[in-house]
């Protein structure tokens, strides 16, 4: 008896993962490479990444028939984005022998949320390189808050935290704020010796949003050293993330029914101070909401999304 085959792609801002699996869960191929948000790296770069991943998947498995493929891609924020990303993906698929019966192309957060809750009410809050909240009423209606990119949004994200850290360092250097241990920690992390070198790092031609977000990793150590600037940044980040949750719940007209808020992304998974502050904010306002920390890599939820698509097709 033929086994159904799933192809799932998690195209995030920082990394892209592809996997080919049977419906029973056997992994036939999996590979991870760099991020594939076309808004950040451009159309051509995304095409190269997807072509390489799809080509590798085919060469490794020699499979041609795919029952369902889900491409969960960062950067799908508008109808125009969806059209652009769809064009990139369809062109990449034409370069492989794959025949896909059911093709799903979605914003990566929406796809992950569907993988988590399927047709029940729930919300997913992500704080990684960027930040966004996606909620559903369980009746195929979805509402998003945030996620408009680093130039205008992404409050409470790794990028936003990294930027606040650098602002704090430069303001302290100028004598506008009190000294902060963040300066020492950032210089050590980047293996540089001075604020002048930090400026060179910041304006280097190869600088990316992910580089800025990586600075956020020093925040917890600074908090453990009771650095006031670090504590204020973390509290502000938690508050900004709560605002995303609060706004999304209002869009959903939440009135106390059973509801789970799922947390994901590097900041929420690894920064316990910010996560604990956020949970406290939420429980003060919404005491009956259950909060669950995602424990698996994002690709696992995209695979669940693909299985759900196969079930309802």
């Amino acid at each position: 008896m033929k086994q159904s085959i799933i192809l799932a792609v998690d195209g995030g801002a920082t990394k892209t993962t592809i996997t080919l699996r049977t419906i029973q869960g056997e992994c036939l191929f999996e590979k991870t490479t760099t991020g594939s948000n076309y808004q950040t790296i451009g159309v051509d770069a995304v095409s190269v990444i997807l072509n390489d991943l799809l080509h590798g998947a085919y060469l490794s498995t020699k499979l041609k028939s795919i029952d369902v493929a889900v491409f969960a891609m960062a950067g799908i924020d508008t109808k125009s984005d969806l059209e652009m990303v769809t064009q990139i993906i369809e062109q990449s698929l034409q370069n492989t022998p794959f025949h896909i019966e059911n093709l799903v192309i979605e914003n990566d957060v929406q796809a992950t949320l569907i993988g988590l809750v399927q047709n029940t009410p729930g919300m997913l809050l992500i704080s990684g390189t960027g930040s966004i909240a996606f909620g559903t009423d369980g009746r195929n209606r979805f509402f998003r808050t945030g996620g408009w990119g680093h130039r205008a949004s992404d409050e409470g994200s790794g990028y936003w935290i990294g930027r606040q850290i650098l602002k704090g360092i430069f303001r302290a250097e100028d004598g506008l704020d009190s000294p902060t241990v963040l300066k020492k920690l950032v210089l050590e992390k980047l293996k540089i010796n001075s604020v002048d070198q930090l400026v060179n790092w910041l304006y280097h031609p190869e600088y990316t949003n992910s580089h800025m977000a990586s600075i956020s990793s020093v925040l917890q150590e600074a908090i453990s050293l009771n650095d006031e600037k670090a504590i204020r940044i973390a509290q502000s980040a938690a508050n900004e993330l709560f605002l995303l949750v609060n706004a999304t719940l209002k869009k959903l007209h939440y009135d106390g029914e059973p509801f789970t808020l799922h947390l994901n992304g590097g900041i929420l998974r690894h920064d316990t101070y910010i996560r604990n502050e956020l949970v406290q904010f939420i429980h003060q306002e919404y005491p009956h909401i259950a909060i669950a920390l995602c424990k698996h890599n994002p690709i696992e939820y995209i695979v669940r999304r693909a299985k759900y698509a196969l079930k309802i097709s």
Side-chain angles (χ1 to χ4, degrees), residues 53-239:
L53 290 175
L54 290 167
H55 187 62
Y58 173 71
L59 288 179
S60 177
T61 63
K62 299 299 182 182
L63 288 168
K64 292 185 179 180
S65 179
I66 307 296
D67 293 273
V68 60
V70 173
F71 286 77
M73 307 295 291
I76 299 179
D77 299 319
T78 66
K79 182 180 179 180
S80 176
D81 289 331
L82 178 58
E83 291 172 352
M84 177 61 71
V85 173
T86 298
Q87 182 179 334
I88 297 169
I89 290 169
E90 289 179 345
Q91 183 62 52
S92 295
L93 287 170
Q94 288 175 13
N95 295 330
T96 74
F98 288 136
H99 170 73
I100 295 173
E101 191 69 28
N102 298 291
L103 176 62
V104 178
I105 301 171
E106 288 175 332
N107 174 282
D108 57 334
V109 183
Q110 180 175 340
T112 303
L113 175 61
I114 296 172
L116 282 163
V117 305
Q118 298 192 4
N119 62 345
T120 61
M123 187 191 306
L124 174 60
L125 173 69
I126 292 182
S127 176
T129 301
S131 62
I132 190 173
F134 243 103
T136 179
D137 59 4
R139 297 187 293 273
N140 206 33
R141 292 195 302 169
F142 296 89
F143 302 89
R144 64 172 282 171
T145 309
W148 304 114
H150 69 284
R151 294 182 182 178
S153 183
D154 282 346
E155 292 85 358
S157 69
Y159 176 90
W160 183 89
I161 291 169
R163 190 166 184 269
Q164 301 308 307
I165 288 172
L166 288 192
K167 285 176 65 177
I169 292 171
F170 291 133
R171 286 181 65 83
E173 194 73 7
D174 286 334
L176 298 170
D177 279 345
S178 56
T180 170
V181 73
L182 289 166
K183 172 183 173 181
K184 173 178 178 292
L185 296 177
V186 168
L187 295 183
E188 288 177 352
K189 177 179 178 57
L190 298 178
K191 296 180 172 58
I192 56 179
N193 301 313
S194 68
V195 171
D196 282 352
Q197 290 180 330
L198 180 58
V199 173
N200 292 335
W201 172 86
L202 180 60
Y203 293 101
H204 193 278
E206 295 181 3
Y207 159 88
T208 67
N209 295 351
S210 297
H211 290 145
M212 176 70 82
S214 71
I215 292 176
S216 64
S217 64
V218 308
L219 196 66
Q220 280 207 98
E221 183 176 353
I223 290 171
S224 72
L225 297 171
N226 295 315
D227 185 84
E228 292 183 5
K229 171 61 72 174
I231 292 171
R232 287 199 299 272
I233 291 172
Q235 290 173 339
S236 295
N239 183 65

